[in-house]
Amino acid sequence: MPQEINPGLWLAFVVTLLSLAACGGDAPGDSKAGANQQQAAAVAAAASRGGAAIWESCASCHGDQGQGLQSLNAPSLVNQDAWYLKRQLLNFKAGIRGAADGDAQGARMMAVAQGLPDEAAIDAVVDYIDTLPDVPPVTTVEGEPAKGRDYYDMVCGACHGPGARGNVLLNAPRLAGIDDWYLVAQYRNFGRGYRGSHSDDKYGKQMQMMSGVLPDDTVINNVVAYIQARATGVE
Ligand code: HEC
Ligand code: HEC
C-alpha cells in the first residue's frame, strides 16, 4: 500500500470492491464465489475492530465457541496450538494452502483468509481463539486403537510426539484433541496432493512424504482412533 493512502479509506475501498463483486455474481455458477467474497469482505470490515470482532465472521462456520461444525467441514480450532493456527492462516492467505485443483474445502477457507488484511489481524484472531475454552473431542471415526498403535508409534510419533501433542521444534502440530473426522480428511488431502504440493509449502511437503505410509482407509481409521484415545483417555 502506498504510504500516502489512509489505511482506513483503503480498507473501505477494498471492502466496497469486494461487495460489488459479490453482488455482481448473478449467474448460478457464481453464487459460491459470491458467498466467498462476502465472507472475505465481512472479515476485512471487522479487522480494524480487533480479534473478537474478526471472530464473529469465523463463527458461522467454526461454531460460536470454535467447537467446529462437521456439517460444514469446518474443524474445531480451540484445541489446536496458536502457532499452528497462525501458520495455516498465513498459508491460506498466501494461497499456499487451499489453491490446489479439487480442494473445495480448502478453497472456501482460503477465500475467507484472504479477507484478513495483514499478519496483525491474523495474530489478533488467533489470540482471541486462544482465549476460548478447549472442548472435549467427540468420537465420530470407527477404528481399532490397538491396531493403530504400532503405526502411530513407529511412524507418526517421531514428529507429532508420543502423546500426539505436537512438537513445535519439528513444526508438527498437535493431533490429539483435533476432530477425528478432520484428521482423516487432512491425511487424505496430503495423499491427494491438495496439501503439500505448493512449492513454498515447506512443512506441508514434510507431511506429504508421510501420506503414503498408511496402506488403506482401515489403517488410517485405526491410527486416528488411537490418536483419539490419547485425547479422550489422557485429558
Ligand atoms: C465459509 C466457512 C468458513 C469460515 C467463515 C471460516 N472458515 Fe476456517 N475453515 C473452513 C473449512 C471448510 C476449513 C477446512 C479446510 C480444509 O479442509 O482444508 C477451515 C479451516 C481452518 C483452519 C485450519 C485448521 C487446521 O488445523 O488445519 C483455520 C486455522 C481456520 N479455518 C481459521 C478460521 C478463522 C480464523 C476464520 C475467521 C477469520 C475462519 N476460519 C472462517 C471454513 C470456514
Ligand atoms: C517427518 C515428520 C512427520 C511425520 C513422521 C508425520 N507427520 Fe504429520 N505433519 C507433519 C508436519 C510438519 C505437519 C504440518 C504441515 C503443515 O504445516 O501444513 C503435519 C500435519 C499433519 C496433519 C494435519 C493436521 C491439521 O490439523 O491440519 C495430520 C492429520 C497429520 N500430520 C497426520 C500424521 C499421521 C497420521 C502420521 C503418521 C502416519 C504423520 N502425520 C507423520 C510432520 C510429520
Side-chain angles (χ1 to χ4, degrees):
M1 187 195 315
Q3 287 297 312
E4 65 272 19
I5 295 181
N6 172 312
L9 281 179
W10 177 250
L11 188 61
F13 174 66
V14 172
V15 170
T16 310
L17 276 187
L18 282 170
S19 49
L20 283 177
C23 298
D26 280 341
D30 283 353
S31 62
K32 234 187 202 160
N36 283 344
Q37 279 160 337
Q38 272 169 353
Q39 291 279 6
V43 174
S48 60
R49 292 187 288 123
I54 299 173
W55 175 255
E56 284 171 26
S57 51
C58 316
S60 58
C61 290
H62 289 283
D64 56 350
Q65 291 296 302
Q67 72 276 28
L69 279 178
Q70 189 182 358
S71 58
L72 296 179
N73 302 294
S76 75
L77 300 172
V78 287
N79 296 356
Q80 189 51 277
D81 293 316
W83 62 266
Y84 185 71
L85 297 178
K86 176 175 178 179
R87 185 204 295 156
Q88 296 310 310
L89 287 168
L90 287 169
N91 283 354
F92 278 121
K93 180 170 164 57
I96 291 170
R97 180 173 171 190
D101 274 353
D103 185 8
Q105 301 309 328
R108 295 180 73 199
M109 185 54 221
M110 181 177 74
V112 176
Q114 287 176 344
L116 291 163
D118 51 27
E119 194 174 337
I122 290 178
D123 284 334
V125 73
V126 167
D127 284 351
Y128 180 77
I129 293 169
D130 223 16
T131 67
L132 296 171
D134 284 11
V135 288
V138 177
T139 301
T140 68
V141 170
E142 283 183 34
E144 296 182 65
K147 292 189 177 168
R149 176 196 298 264
D150 283 352
Y151 278 103
Y152 185 86
D153 287 347
M154 286 188 296
V155 189
C156 322
C159 292
H160 291 282
R165 289 190 174 79
N167 184 339
V168 66
L169 298 176
L170 295 176
N171 298 292
R174 159 181 285 276
L175 301 177
I178 307 308
D179 291 317
D180 56 4
W181 56 267
Y182 187 71
L183 295 179
V184 170
Q186 294 308 312
Y187 187 84
R188 291 204 187 117
N189 280 355
F190 284 106
R192 291 175 179 130
Y194 290 177
R195 287 184 68 178
S197 297
H198 193 285
S199 54
D200 292 334
D201 194 358
K202 199 169 142 195
Y203 306 118
K205 226 163 238 79
Q206 291 172 6
M207 181 55 213
Q208 200 187 48
M209 287 191 285
M210 297 297 138
S211 64
V213 172
L214 304 181
D216 57 40
D217 286 354
T218 307
V219 176
I220 295 174
N221 287 356
N222 290 343
V223 170
V224 167
Y226 176 73
I227 293 168
Q228 178 77 350
R230 303 277 63 67
T232 46
V234 181
E235 277 146 27

